Amino acid sequence: NTEACGWDGGDCIEFNEKYPGCDVYSTSNIGDGECGGGDYNTQECGWDGGDCIEFNEKYPECDVDSPSNIGDGECDVGDYNTEACGWDGGDCIEFNEKYPGCNVDYVHSIGDGTCRGGDYNTEECDWDGGDCIKFNEKYPGCNV
């Protein structure tokens, strides 16, 4: 999509007229029905061809790579599990209430029947949702 390449053989002329200054990898993702983050959710790209308008109204300060993960039924951590993003669109409220202060990469691993060490086997994470209680009783002081 450059002038030297004839705007992709003319395929991008209409796109460039509609979204001047929109510089994204895949122009077909603009207005595809799914709110894309990053460069797609910009004024130049028409808030992803309109796909992100509702998201931006609901979460104006939420800046994540995949807005479609917000409120998808799975608690995503990091930038998603913040007040600005509505605690991942509500997906993390129950987890946050049950395990306040528990900061792990994979919340679905808490209480899944497998004892994990590190950040999972902590008081904040209720000893990996109870998965590590027997291990901790058998090996007190063992931190793996």
Side-chain angles (χ1 to χ4, degrees):
N1 187 12
T2 63
E3 186 175 7
C5 294
W7 310 117
D8 196 17
D11 293 341
C12 293
I13 292 173
E14 184 179 330
F15 176 86
N16 291 337
E17 289 173 354
K18 189 171 185 177
Y19 302 109
C22 179
D23 185 20
V24 293
Y25 178 74
S26 180
T27 58
S28 63
N29 288 347
I30 301 290
D32 66 351
E34 184 174 311
C35 175
D39 292 338
Y40 294 87
N41 189 9
T42 62
Q43 185 174 359
E44 292 80 14
C45 294
W47 313 115
D48 193 5
D51 294 340
C52 294
I53 291 172
E54 184 178 328
F55 173 83
N56 292 338
E57 288 173 352
K58 193 168 185 176
Y59 307 108
E61 301 300 318
C62 181
D63 184 21
V64 292
D65 291 331
S66 300
S68 60
N69 288 355
I70 301 287
D72 67 351
E74 184 174 321
C75 176
D76 299 292
V77 295
D79 292 338
Y80 298 85
N81 189 11
T82 62
E83 186 174 2
C85 295
W87 313 113
D88 192 21
D91 294 341
C92 295
I93 291 173
E94 184 178 331
F95 177 83
N96 293 340
E97 288 173 351
K98 190 170 184 177
Y99 305 108
C102 178
N103 295 306
V104 293
D105 291 331
Y106 305 101
V107 297
H108 61 274
S109 296
I110 300 286
D112 69 348
T114 301
C115 174
R116 289 171 180 73
D119 293 337
Y120 295 85
N121 190 10
T122 62
E123 186 175 359
E124 294 82 11
C125 296
D126 193 28
W127 317 114
D128 193 5
D131 293 340
C132 294
I133 292 174
K134 288 182 182 178
F135 175 86
N136 292 340
E137 289 172 351
K138 188 172 183 176
Y139 304 104
C142 179
N143 298 317
V144 292

